[in-house]
Amino acid sequence: MNLTVNGVTHEIESWPLTTLLDVLREELEITSPKAGCEQGGCGACTVLVDGTPQRACLTAVAAIDGASITTAEGLGTPDDLSPLQQAFTHHYAAQCGFCTSGMMMAAHAYLDGGGTDDRHAIQEALAGHVCRCTGYVKIIAAVAAAARGDSFDLTTTAPSAGMVNVGGVK
Ligand code: FES
Ligand code: FES
């Protein structure tokens, strides 16, 4: 089996029924997808599989052999954040960061599909993503800002190191 993750193709050595989440985190050491409920209910493990948000905890790797996977690490880097990551930083949309990667992948797909800054549409796009820190207002504000194409001066936002690492927390 092989997977292309964030543009790099990997031969996968895990057993075929290993979850995509475990392959990413344990075999490939890509740790932005988080193991929350591991039952499909929280969204923390969400990645893009061929561009579509998918729960990595419910996906057997054999079922997506040859697929292209995008994680938060594939959106931008701490030195070169994507517009969505900049928006999350500017709006302080990450607290502990545990849900952030999954939220961000769902939001990325929403924006890629032409999503607007409509609050209800964003809520619908992020439905099923649970933030235990309950920071939903700021998350929706960040996605709306990215949808509008707002630009941000992150030097005035003064993000902490953790905030700069949006979506890439261990
Ligand atoms: S860890 Fe996959 S949905 Fe919660
Ligand atoms: S920021 Fe902590 S769970 Fe969402």
Side-chain angles (χ1 to χ4, degrees), residues 21 34-45 55 57:
L21 181 61
K34 297 292 183 281
C37 65
E38 297 189 72
Q39 296 181 344
C42 75
C45 64
R55 303 293 208 235
C57 71

Side-chain angles (χ1 to χ4, degrees), residues 37-99:
C37 65
E38 297 189 72
Q39 296 181 344
C42 75
C45 64
T46 299
V47 299
L48 302 185
V49 178
D50 294 328
T52 300
Q54 195 159 318
R55 303 293 208 235
C57 71
L58 296 182
T59 304
V61 68
I64 55 164
D65 185 16
S68 179
I69 310 299
T70 307
T71 71
E73 289 88 344
L75 299 182
T77 67
D79 293 331
D80 185 21
L81 296 175
S82 72
L84 182 61
Q85 289 170 318
Q86 290 182 35
F88 267 64
T89 301
H90 181 81
H91 285 278
Y92 293 101
Q95 296 179 68
C96 78
F98 196 85
C99 72

Side-chain angles (χ1 to χ4, degrees), residues 76-94 104 142 145-146 150-166:
T77 67
D79 293 331
D80 185 21
L81 296 175
S82 72
L84 182 61
Q85 289 170 318
Q86 290 182 35
F88 267 64
T89 301
H90 181 81
H91 285 278
Y92 293 101
M104 196 169 283
D150 290 2
S151 57
F152 310 105
D153 178 2
L154 297 183
T155 60
T156 63
T157 310
S160 69
M163 292 296 289
V164 170
N165 193 23
V166 165

Side-chain angles (χ1 to χ4, degrees), residues 3-25:
L3 293 176
T4 299
V5 184
N6 301 327
V8 178
T9 300
H10 304 267
E11 288 289 330
I12 303 302
E13 296 178 355
S14 299
W15 291 101
L17 293 183
T18 307
T19 66
L20 174 59
L21 181 61
D22 282 346
V23 168
L24 291 171
R25 291 186 58 87

